[in-house]
Amino acid sequence: MKSFTTVALIFFSLVMHAQNDSIAGSYYQSSGNPEGGTSFIVSPNNHFVVAYFGGVQKGTWKLLENDTYEFKYHSEPKFVLYGRQNPQLKDSVAISFAVDRSRGIAFRINGDKNDEFRPMFNKGANCFSYPYILKQTEKLTSVDAFSPDYRNYRDGKLDDLPGFYNFEITDDYNDFIIAGLSEEYSQGGSFIAKYKDGILSLDESTNLKRGKAYNDIDEETRNFVNSHTESEILPSLLEYGNEFFPHVEDPTDNDLIPFKRLEVTIKSSKDVVVSENSLFFASCDD
């Protein structure tokens, strides 16, 4: 005869499974603009994906009590530096910048604490044409990356000032990629929602009707959701096929050498000074 505790645990598990199946599915929030609205897909394995024009975020959810749920966004680092040894570069060093150009970000290359940061682009920059690659003969020993947006989060906590990312390079690399995501990915955060009778309520005025149950969503979309929630946007090893990996027509073996993600330290930006001189100049006549 099963103990009361065992029976209770089984009952609780069945209730939780029913709750998961109930909330799981697709939801849509209209934005009223030409770019379209926001699609929410809640999976029964306690993950969710939010897709909108120009971005796809992910996170996890859990039942708090009754019909109340907590949704927590996965927080990505604002900047990541990758490096590799590329025999094709010989005596030169290349740094490719794959970052959001619209946030006034700035960098310091081989600098010390008294040196100014340089913005990636000039004021009023337009006519962007990627990739942007900085080349030098001097060995790369450090890269500092700064974003002035005060919404940045670090491990889910808002600092008094947005810290800058410091990368110290000790490996014998000569080919680098500094990748950066927009604040939507790095700010983290969470929200509370209620679900009842097919309605997901984000707040008092935002009620989203479930479009489809999870199993009724097309297989291609479900496969994408599973793949996106189980993989890292900025993995420890950057390999061919990743969106941040350099695209080369008819790549050679050297072109396919993977990049290794380097360690980072977050430092206070209290004394950061940004120069007027940019790393790159992007401008053209209208």
Side-chain angles (χ1 to χ4, degrees):
M1 183 176 183
K2 293 181 178 178
S3 67
F4 174 79
T5 301
T6 302
V7 173
L9 287 173
I10 292 174
F11 176 76
F12 180 74
S13 176
L14 290 173
V15 171
M16 288 297 292
H17 183 71
Q19 294 269 12
N20 287 5
D21 284 346
S22 178
I23 194 174
S26 63
Y27 304 83
Y28 181 76
Q29 181 179 10
S30 176
S31 66
N33 58 52
E35 286 78 15
T38 301
S39 295
F40 294 82
I41 298 181
V42 181
S43 66
N45 65 350
N46 295 89
H47 287 83
F48 73 95
V49 165
V50 178
Y52 48 88
F53 180 77
V56 180
Q57 291 179 258
K58 63 182 179 180
T60 57
W61 65 266
K62 65 179 179 180
L63 174 65
L64 296 180
E65 58 181 359
N66 298 327
D67 302 321
T68 303
Y69 296 79
E70 180 186 47
F71 289 79
K72 185 176 182 179
Y73 284 105
H74 177 69
S75 180
E76 299 282 353
K78 174 60 183 172
F79 297 102
V80 167
L81 181 66
Y82 290 98
R84 69 178 179 180
Q85 179 61 36
N86 186 348
Q88 292 183 145
L89 293 179
K90 298 180 180 179
D91 297 327
S92 65
V93 172
I95 312 167
S96 178
F97 293 80
V99 297
D100 181 5
R101 65 174 180 256
S102 64
R103 295 292 181 180
I105 54 180
F107 299 92
R108 185 167 59 190
I109 309 297
N110 286 357
D112 60 38
K113 64 179 182 179
N114 296 319
D115 290 334
E116 295 181 337
F117 283 68
R118 295 175 64 185
M120 184 170 172
F121 292 108
N122 53 290
K123 289 183 178 180
N126 54 21
C127 294
F128 298 101
S129 179
Y130 285 99
Y132 283 91
I133 302 175
L134 184 68
K135 290 189 176 181
Q136 61 186 44
T137 56
E138 181 184 3
K139 178 180 173 62
L140 189 65
T141 57
S142 69
V143 174
D144 296 322
F146 172 66
S147 173
D149 195 312
Y150 279 70
R151 295 178 303 161
N152 282 350
Y153 279 74
R154 170 65 178 165
D155 296 332
K157 297 180 181 179
L158 184 63
D159 297 327
D160 56 339
L161 284 171
F164 71 83
Y165 283 57
N166 167 247
F167 302 91
E168 297 293 332
I169 297 102
T170 57
D171 299 281
D172 189 24
Y173 295 146
N174 63 355
D175 197 4
F176 298 88
I177 297 174
I178 184 158
L181 296 170
S182 61
E183 279 68 27
E184 287 81 0
Y185 292 90
S186 59
Q187 67 185 1
S190 63
F191 63 93
I192 303 298
K194 290 183 177 292
Y195 176 82
K196 189 174 183 179
D197 299 331
I199 302 296
L200 184 65
S201 300
L202 305 184
D203 53 45
E204 293 183 357
S205 60
T206 307
N207 299 304
L208 308 181
K209 183 178 180 180
R210 191 175 74 168
K212 292 183 178 179
Y214 189 77
N215 289 335
D216 293 331
I217 298 173
D218 64 273
E219 184 178 4
E220 182 180 0
T221 299
R222 283 187 282 115
N223 288 339
F224 169 78
V225 170
N226 291 333
S227 174
H228 189 68
T229 56
E230 293 173 1
S231 61
E232 291 294 327
I233 298 177
L234 299 167
S236 57
L237 194 67
L238 191 68
E239 298 180 283
Y240 182 78
N242 185 285
E243 63 179 304
F244 289 101
F245 197 94
H247 175 73
V248 179
E249 296 289 343
D250 301 320
T252 64
D253 289 342
N254 287 333
D255 293 324
L256 298 177
I257 297 173
F259 290 80
K260 181 182 177 181
R261 180 169 159 172
L262 305 184
E263 295 295 324
V264 64
T265 302
I266 308 297
K267 296 187 176 181
S268 172
S269 60
K270 181 180 179 181
D271 298 320
V272 163
V273 176
V274 179
S275 168
E276 292 290 329
N277 299 317
S278 61
L279 291 174
F280 302 100
F281 187 82
S283 183
C284 63
D285 297 329
D286 293 335

